[in-house]
Amino acid sequence: MEQALWTRARLGRCGPRLDLLTARFDKHVYAPHAHDEFTVGVCVGGSEIIDYRGGHIRTGPGSIVVLAPGEVHTGGPGNATDGYAYRALYAETPLLADGTLGFPHFREPLIDDPELATALRLTHTELSACPDPLEAESRLPWLLTALARRHSTARATGDVVPGGDGIALLVRDRLADEMVTPPSLAALATDLGLSRYQLLRAFRTTMGLPPYAWLAQYRVHRARTLLESGLRPAEVATAVGFADQAHLTRWFRRVLGVTPAAYRNSVQDGGRGSG
């Protein structure tokens, strides 16, 4: 099976775009080519042979590959039977340089980091299904900074953000006030004189959650009130800022353990029974 599916995510409302690729090939061989951005891929099945920097890279499930901007490479199946499958994203250099000092040069393109590979694969999967701008901006820069800090030559910046608690509360209030169309984290960081990484660090440290997850839970609690008033799940999803009913349902189940429709039916049944 030869399949390549592209998803375009946006890093924050009105922010820059970032492409996500989900690919599964049996025989396809890429011609020599290069990308303007960093290519960050995670092998999810089979094995791929990549010609890069005069050598050969052989991937396996769970391995991370990082290819630098402008560097020519190819790609093809590692054997004649299994083919290869991977998830990749194409990130501008600043996304890897935030939270570090110096250009992120990766001496070794093949990286063994199971924890980070799992996080990249899960994030890629969920954003490909629903490329929510705040979620993309909360998750992808954070993971790409972790990749650069762990595995590139760039040195990490300090993690302590002065006044972090107050910063987190200001961001929380802005997200709550603009629940349906939340501001980008980059814009909020600029307003506060911070980098986006510093803002994410302060918020996660104080709130215990990244911004998108905090806002999703806030939306769920607002959705409960609207469902109890009799609105249908599709109406509620739009009213609280979820992309669609499926997006609402995913988070509603995560937070409350039931679907919005089941919750609405149960509270209405309970209301009728108590009357």
Side-chain angles (χ1 to χ4, degrees):
M1 178 174 63
E2 311 287 278
Q3 186 178 54
L5 301 174
W6 290 88
T7 303
R8 178 157 285 178
R10 191 179 287 279
L11 298 174
R13 182 163 55 94
C14 301
R17 293 170 175 171
L18 185 147
D19 287 332
L20 307 170
L21 171 63
T22 303
R24 172 72 175 89
F25 296 123
D26 290 330
K27 298 179 180 179
H28 179 69
V29 177
Y30 284 100
H33 65 287
H35 300 283
D36 294 334
E37 314 90 350
F38 272 98
T39 302
V40 179
V42 180
C43 179
V44 297
S47 177
E48 181 183 11
I49 296 292
I50 301 171
D51 294 336
Y52 182 67
R53 293 179 179 170
H56 304 291
I57 306 167
R58 178 183 287 272
T59 70
S63 58
I64 300 172
V65 176
V66 181
L67 308 177
E71 297 202 18
V72 175
H73 56 279
T74 67
N79 57 61
T81 57
D82 295 337
Y84 59 106
Y86 65 94
R87 290 180 173 272
L89 57 86
Y90 301 86
E92 299 284 354
T93 300
L95 285 174
L96 286 83
D98 195 8
T100 64
L101 301 172
F103 181 84
H105 174 68
F106 293 82
R107 294 193 180 97
E108 297 297 330
L110 190 64
I111 294 170
D112 180 22
D113 188 330
E115 178 189 26
L116 188 55
T118 297
L120 284 167
R121 186 183 71 246
L122 178 62
T123 298
H124 191 292
T125 300
E126 294 185 349
L127 288 175
S128 295
C130 182
D132 176 77
L134 182 65
E135 183 171 358
E137 194 180 19
S138 295
R139 298 178 74 173
L140 290 174
W142 184 261
L143 291 177
L144 292 170
T145 295
L147 177 68
R149 288 167 68 123
R150 293 185 191 183
H151 300 290
S152 82
T153 57
R155 293 181 294 117
T157 58
D159 282 341
V160 177
V161 182
D165 289 351
I167 290 166
L169 295 178
L170 284 172
V171 173
R172 179 201 66 185
D173 291 346
R174 282 289 302 275
L175 294 177
D177 290 343
E178 302 176 49
M179 172 183 66
V180 176
T181 54
S184 74
L185 301 180
L188 289 175
T190 298
D191 290 346
L192 294 167
L194 304 169
S195 71
R196 179 166 47 198
Y197 178 77
Q198 289 175 314
L199 184 149
L200 283 167
R201 169 67 67 180
F203 195 95
R204 293 171 68 111
T205 300
T206 300
M207 307 303 297
L209 294 168
Y212 82 96
W214 182 90
L215 181 58
Q217 295 199 30
Y218 181 79
R219 286 169 167 168
V220 166
H221 291 303
R222 292 289 295 273
R224 288 180 65 180
T225 301
L226 297 178
L227 290 166
E228 290 166 7
S229 74
L231 290 182
R232 297 189 303 273
E235 297 172 308
V236 171
T238 301
V240 300
F242 284 114
D244 51 30
Q245 185 174 339
H247 194 199
L248 166 66
T249 298
R250 175 158 64 94
W251 275 102
F252 209 91
R253 291 189 68 174
R254 284 184 180 182
V255 176
L256 298 177
V258 296
T259 67
Y263 179 82
R264 179 174 179 265
N265 291 338
S266 67
V267 294
Q268 289 183 336
D269 288 345
R272 285 193 296 267
S274 62

